[in-house]
Amino acid sequence: MLDSINTKRKSDDFEEKIKEVYDKYCEMDIDEKYLELWNSFVELIEYIQQIDSGNEMSASEAINLMKELGMSNDDLKDLLMASMKNG
């Protein structure tokens, strides 16, 4: 079954492709056994998007997040100095 899946991208617009697939299947009744597979793909896409969005965090957002997690200014200073020493 999986060998018949086309993995070649026809378009660079990933969001447009997902919208087309959704529009095609949103009104159909999908057998319960396929819903698990569909939901797994959705979870995989969300996971990949979270990885990508994590790389886009600005320095100030990272510092604010660390402060929210309880790091003090001295902790942040020590972390910064250690990372500078380690390159």
Side-chain angles (χ1 to χ4, degrees):
M1 176 180 97
L2 294 178
D3 58 341
S4 65
I5 294 175
N6 181 6
T7 58
K8 295 181 182 174
R9 238 188 318 181
K10 294 179 183 173
S11 168
D12 286 335
D13 191 353
F14 180 72
E15 291 181 13
E16 183 63 29
K17 178 63 178 173
I18 296 299
K19 184 181 179 309
E20 288 173 14
V21 170
Y22 178 81
D23 289 344
K24 182 176 177 180
Y25 293 101
C26 69
E27 298 296 322
M28 296 175 76
D29 287 329
I30 300 174
D31 192 318
E32 196 68 35
K33 65 183 177 183
Y34 297 113
L35 282 176
E36 181 181 2
L37 179 63
W38 174 261
N39 289 331
S40 296
F41 279 116
V42 170
E43 289 173 12
L44 176 62
I45 291 168
E46 290 172 344
Y47 175 75
I48 292 169
Q49 288 174 332
Q50 288 173 357
I51 290 173
D52 288 344
S53 68
N55 294 335
E56 296 174 9
M57 185 179 287
S58 71
S60 63
E61 290 173 321
I63 290 170
N64 286 336
L65 178 61
M66 286 186 243
K67 284 184 176 182
E68 286 178 24
L69 294 173
M71 293 184 82
S72 68
N73 285 336
D74 288 334
D75 293 333
L76 292 171
K77 179 182 166 189
D78 292 342
L79 182 64
L80 179 61
M81 296 303 289
S83 68
M84 289 172 53
K85 287 180 184 177
N86 293 331

